[in-house]
Structures are given as C-alpha cells and as structure tokens.
Amino acid sequence: MTLREMVKRLPYPVRQGIRYVYGTLPPRIRYGRVFWETYNFLQESQWWSKEKLEEYQMQQLSKLLNHAYENVPYYRRVFDERGLKPKVIQDFDDLQKLPYLTKEIIQDNLPDLVARNYPRSKLQYATTGGSTGIPMGFYLEKGVSNAKEWAFMLTQWNRVGFKMGDRCVVLRGNVVESASKGKFWEYDPVNKNLILSSYHLTDENMPKYIEKIKEFKPDFIQAYPSAISILARFMKEHNIEPFPSVKALLCGSENLYSWQRELLE
C-alpha cells in the first residue's frame, strides 16, 4: 500500500490536518522534479517558431514509434500486420498508415498495450469516469503522467493570468464527504481551492453554492463545462449577477459546445 493510499484511509479531520501541513511546503518541493522540468521546458518552447516546433514533434514522434514497436506487443502486431517499420513514418501524414487507438481497442487489448520495458511497480491503474458508458481502464506512469499533465494545464492557464496560489473554485466531479450533511464544499489547503460537489446541483441547493462562491471570492473557476453550465443557467434564469472577482473560467475534460461558451461568457 502506498503512502497516498494510507492517507486516504485516515479520518477526514486527520487527512485535512496533513494537507494543511503539506500545503506549507514550497511549490518547488511539492510539485517535484518532473513537473518543474516539463513546466520550464513549456515556458521556453511555447515561443518557438512553427518550424522548430514541428522539427521537435517529429523527433519525439520517431522516438515514440520506435519505443512502441520494440516494447509494446499491440503496436508490434499492428506494424507487422501492415508490413511497416517505424522508419517509414516520415511525416504526420504517414500516421494515417496506423489505425486510430479507440476505446474498444484499449478495452480489448490492455495487457498488450503495456510496454514490456516498464516494471509494474512504475505503473498506476486508472479509469475514466464512465459518463459515456463503461469506464475505460488504462495505466499512468507513477510520478510522471500527472506531473506532466499539470505542467501543461498550468502553462495554458497562465495565458489567461492564472498563477500558482490564486484562489479557485473547483467544480469537476469531486466527491465531497460532507455533502450528506448538506455541506456541498470543502477547502483544499494545498492548492488554496474551494472544492464543490458536482453531484448536488439542484434548484434547491444552487443558492447555497452561489452564496459560498461569493463568500470565497475566487480569482478563477475550474470546471467541467456540463457542471458550470447548470450553475450559469440557474443564475441567468434568476437574474443573479456574475461573480465579480472571477477573471476567467478554466474548462476541461469535456467538449465545450458553442451554446455553453455563449452562456458562460
């Protein structure tokens, strides 16, 4: 059992205490080497020319294709069935010679999609939420996948003024333990966020959400488009003014449809 799993089993007050202590650590320690290496690289590379970016992308793609062919049984089979070798992929158009990786392929071939040169101890099993059907299982690299994803997200958010430590309301499918007692939020002392439950967005509860957000005075709101649209529609129907402190909405994990963008704006 990992340390993270052990902490998850502790009573909520104890876990919160640990998070408050952890939140006092400086970001350079909390986020770790992989995050900072990726983030610093993105700060530089986002200003590269189109030509330099494409050259780098092809270098990385070549490395990835060679790795997949040598170490991933599913891709070795795909290449061999088509009489291909990684070196024949010379540009992005050549990728059409390989099949799309679909949800069904992953579900049917997961063991063969695991690279043989990675020990199982480095892998972390995860699943999608299953909102479109059966949850899909896959593997992340411990200490790497999430750190890199956060570096990419933070780089994008920086472009609308977000900085580490800014106050955020988070409405992204989180389970809030106190929701059964009528308290649909909890404070995250590590990231300075107010976590809201997205499972209790009823007309009866919405005024409580709105009041809590106003009280918290967030700089930004991180949200699933579907969840924040429910809140925005309620506010519009009841002529409730937008939150004056909010600089931007940071949407992710779902398609953002044009009608949602218009409503949220």
Side-chain angles (χ1 to χ4, degrees):
M1 183 185 301
T2 66
L3 180 60
R4 184 182 294 272
E5 290 168 342
M6 291 173 61
V7 170
K8 282 184 177 180
R9 297 191 177 194
L10 295 171
Y12 176 73
V14 177
R15 290 205 313 272
Q16 274 296 84
I18 292 173
R19 292 167 79 185
Y20 270 99
V21 173
Y22 183 70
T24 63
L25 296 175
R28 62 183 176 80
I29 295 176
R30 288 210 314 269
Y31 294 116
R33 177 183 59 81
V34 172
F35 166 83
W36 285 111
E37 286 180 353
T38 307
Y39 181 73
N40 291 333
F41 169 75
L42 292 171
Q43 295 305 298
E44 175 192 345
S45 62
Q46 66 179 329
W47 305 113
W48 286 355
S49 67
K50 180 175 182 288
E51 291 73 24
K52 187 172 181 179
L53 280 170
E54 289 182 350
E55 179 184 359
Y56 175 79
Q57 289 169 345
M58 282 307 303
Q59 290 171 354
Q60 295 303 305
L61 177 61
S62 178
K63 288 170 59 177
L64 179 62
L65 291 171
N66 282 310
H67 163 75
Y69 184 73
E70 295 296 331
N71 301 293
V72 182
Y74 169 78
Y75 278 107
R76 182 73 177 227
R77 188 164 66 245
V78 165
F79 272 93
D80 289 347
E81 287 172 351
R82 288 160 177 75
L84 301 174
K85 290 288 190 292
K87 64 182 179 182
V88 306
I89 310 295
Q90 294 293 319
D91 56 41
F92 298 122
D93 289 338
D94 285 342
L95 281 175
Q96 296 179 54
K97 297 174 182 178
L98 300 174
Y100 284 112
L101 186 64
T102 66
K103 179 177 180 179
E104 290 71 28
I105 289 174
I106 294 174
Q107 290 172 325
D108 294 341
N109 297 273
L110 185 58
D112 283 348
L113 281 162
V114 178
R116 296 295 183 252
N117 62 333
Y118 268 70
R120 288 288 177 140
S121 60
K122 284 190 175 182
L123 302 179
Q124 173 187 342
Y125 185 72
T127 64
T128 61
S131 58
T132 58
I134 300 172
M136 181 182 73
F138 55 96
Y139 289 99
L140 302 174
E141 186 178 357
K142 289 179 182 176
V144 174
S145 300
N146 288 334
K148 288 188 173 183
E149 180 185 29
W150 176 227
F152 273 86
M153 288 172 61
L154 185 58
T155 299
Q156 293 181 55
W157 293 355
N158 287 162
R159 294 170 186 168
V160 293
F162 179 87
K163 304 182 300 297
M164 279 187 186
D166 281 344
R167 295 166 67 82
C168 282
V169 159
V170 180
L171 190 57
R172 289 179 45 86
N174 300 86
V175 175
V176 177
E177 293 189 24
S178 59
S180 60
K181 302 175 183 176
K183 181 185 173 186
F184 307 113
W185 48 80
E186 64 183 30
Y187 182 63
D188 170 12
V190 176
N191 298 302
K192 312 297 187 291
N193 293 338
L194 181 68
I195 311 295
L196 302 181
S197 168
S198 57
Y199 301 106
H200 300 83
L201 291 168
T202 64
D203 284 357
E204 179 185 357
N205 294 332
M206 218 76 75
K208 300 177 184 177
Y209 280 74
I210 293 167
E211 190 59 35
K212 191 64 183 178
I213 294 172
K214 287 181 178 177
E215 177 187 314
F216 187 68
K217 295 183 176 63
D219 301 304
F220 297 88
I221 296 179
Q222 305 172 25
Y224 290 158
S226 58
I228 193 64
S229 292
I230 294 171
L231 184 65
R233 186 185 297 114
F234 180 89
M235 293 174 69
K236 184 174 182 180
E237 290 173 351
H238 292 81
N239 296 314
I240 298 172
E241 289 295 313
F243 306 113
S245 64
V246 173
K247 301 172 185 175
L249 303 179
L250 309 171
C251 293
S253 302
E254 297 174 345
N255 288 326
L256 178 61
Y257 297 106
S258 56
W259 69 266
Q260 292 172 318
R261 179 185 289 275
E262 184 179 344
L263 171 66
L264 296 174
E265 287 176 347

